[in-house]
Amino acid sequence: MVFTPSGRNGAVSAGTTVLDAARELGVDLDSVCGGRGICGRCQVVPSVGSFPKWAITAGPEALSSLGAVEAAYEGRRPLGPGARLGCQARVQADVVVDVPPESQLHGPVVRKTVDVGDIALDPLATLHAVTVPPPTLDERRGLAEVVIDCVADEWGVHLAGILPGALAGLHASVAAGFPDDAGGRLVTVAVRWSGPEPRKRTGMVTAVWPGVATAALGVAIDIGSTTIAGHLTDLHSGEVLSSAGRMNPQIRLGEDLMSRVSYVMMNAGGARELTALVRDSLAALITELCSDAGAEPDAVLEVVLVGNPIMMHIALGIDPTPLGQAPFTLATDAAVEVDGPEMGLPCPSARVYVAPAIAGHVGADTAAAVLAGGPHRDDTVTLLVDVGTNAEIVLGNSDGLWAASSPTGPAFEGAQISCGQRATPGAIERVRIDPATWAPRVRVIGCDLWSDEPGFAEAVERRVAVGARSAAAGVTGICGSGIIEVIAEMYLAGVLSADGVIAAPPGEGERAPRVISDGRTSSFVLYEPPDGAAGPTITITQNDVRAIQLAKAALRAGIDLLCEHAGIEAPDRVLLAGAFGAHIDPVRAMVLGLIGDCDPDEVRSVGNAAGTGAVRALLSGSQRAEMERVVRSIRKIETATEPRFQELFVAAMALPHATASSPLLAMAVDLPRPSRRTASPDHRTRRRRAVPMSEEA
């Protein structure tokens, strides 16, 4: 059987309960009643349909029929549509079972914040309080025209008209307005502006509210393939009022983007299903953001959406299958605007702005990251990297920008790694290995202590999981940032060769217990729970190392390819974007060879750059115009059709690299003696531009 979204799978005996199977396979499934069918926390949903990744079809016979306990269940958490109690449903055949977020004991930590920095506020939604005179028999204008004229008289603002959504409730809003002594009614008119320059913009009335409304709100949302993060903002002050994130519910239908495209191809109505899932999640996220800030969704006037092209196509209800095969043709690369209700959002007066895409696999999220990072505003040659399932890379400066995407796969997010997991409390995120003894020490999410410090075991046992539930789960696995660190540390300590081969088990000495034989290969024991403590033994296998080598080689080859096209040896500055990039140690990333050799002080995280850029576009029409302008100037390199990509990929498999030297990295850390270097010592001299960035290399 297979569990999603974790991807854990294995064989279990017929008649095993789903809860017991989850425990046997190391799946995170909650339960507090001991399997008696009382608490309802172990709810799962058997997935029905075709799953290309595992080629399993779940039918009604895959799980036992509804029993008396489930039929009589009346717990505080009602059974959802199609849900079963994991402690009661028994496995009878091959089946794919989805564990929804509310049934996961350790909910994912969606660590996405935003720092907009200094920008000039230029919102495209404004509020105008006006007094509408009482109606008379001589008045020949309609009420809409009267309101528009009032805005012109009192504010000196000339509007083009009123949208149908505002027209429907216009009479009721004016009638409920605050009366004055002359019989007029005080109302607030919400106006949405369009056009590149403030002086040339056209305004339309989007809503009319009784009395004086002071809240003009906007929401910026980054729709990632794994997580969806949003920020509620005051459009007039620029203040971020609340931020929240959640897992993308589409993950149950495909771990990565291509799996979801395959799902659409192989399932009738699959596109509509994916669209409904993401739109429901967007609506719930906006409601949550408003609730956290004590605001009403009705006050949201502007929504900005960014994301990769497949996510944007699905959110807009556009067939994503052309993006699943060459030549990866977008339905449109231009910005798209629709009304909020058209996308099922709880914002009747909102206008939704979907940011422009750069190319078939470099989307609006990258465009927003460029807007936030600003490489086009600086003479410094900058590399902007968003590490994810599909890594987006932008290189250049004010002379010009190049962009590419590299298929890194899900290894950096914990998938395909034997003890890998998402970034949840209990996951290893930091690693250090003593080069003399090979003794490792680790730090996990949710605990500030290192494993060799007093109180570590007790601290991870009593840590608090996401939500209000406590869990004594100990160290549970290793997440993306920890994976990068452990591979780099294993190389620095001599556990790994430059080719990525784990050393044979030592015969004796302090190192002996750290490496164990796996038949023809070896594994490294990273963490063992103390006697009596909860949690598994965490090991790094040879297959784990290979998965990371393949992922990092794809990313590094894409970077090197852009450098060649741009005519430079290497960038002067590196910006690591995304929630994952925010937690990568720059030196360990360079040891791994994830990025080229550069001054570690010039490698920095820019956090959730896509979300930051989305907020900037939300708060400023000028920023939005700048993003559209820059996107049109970026030159896209398609790695899939580049003859040099394979050669660069093979060279990038080695640690840190097969041919490129690392003099700047060597100044920051003691590197092992090179074993397979073929380049001359000056192969990677100081990075200087070989040709103007405006010319094709």
Side-chain angles (χ1 to χ4, degrees), residues 104-118:
Q104 297 172 21
L105 181 60
H106 313 112
V109 178
V110 182
R111 299 188 287 192
K112 295 195 174 183
T113 57
V114 62
D115 180 10
V116 177
D118 296 328

Side-chain angles (χ1 to χ4, degrees), residues 358-502:
I358 297 171
H361 283 292
V362 185
D365 50 352
T366 306
V370 169
L371 181 66
H376 58 289
R377 306 185 196 107
D378 199 332
D379 290 337
T380 303
V381 180
T382 300
L383 172 68
L384 173 65
V385 184
D386 191 344
V387 184
T389 305
N390 193 68
E392 288 83 27
I393 314 161
V394 177
L395 174 72
N397 61 5
S398 56
D399 289 339
L401 298 176
W402 305 80
S405 63
S406 272
T408 52
F412 288 137
E413 296 181 346
Q416 302 177 347
I417 305 299
S418 59
C419 293
Q421 66 168 88
R422 300 193 187 281
T424 63
I428 295 172
E429 64 173 347
R430 291 284 178 265
V431 177
R432 295 292 182 268
I433 298 175
D434 188 315
T437 65
W438 289 359
R441 57 193 187 103
V442 303
R443 200 172 73 187
V444 303
I445 296 174
C447 178
D448 294 331
L449 298 175
W450 286 85
S451 57
D452 59 346
E453 293 182 289
F456 172 81
E458 294 78 6
V460 296
E461 285 291 313
R462 64 172 180 266
R463 62 179 172 75
V464 177
V466 171
R469 295 172 291 173
S470 295
V475 178
T476 56
I478 185 167
C479 66
S481 59
I483 291 167
I484 287 179
E485 293 207 1
V486 71
I487 301 298
E489 285 287 315
M490 287 170 67
Y491 172 66
L492 292 175
V495 182
L496 276 182
S497 69
D499 290 332
V501 177
I502 298 178

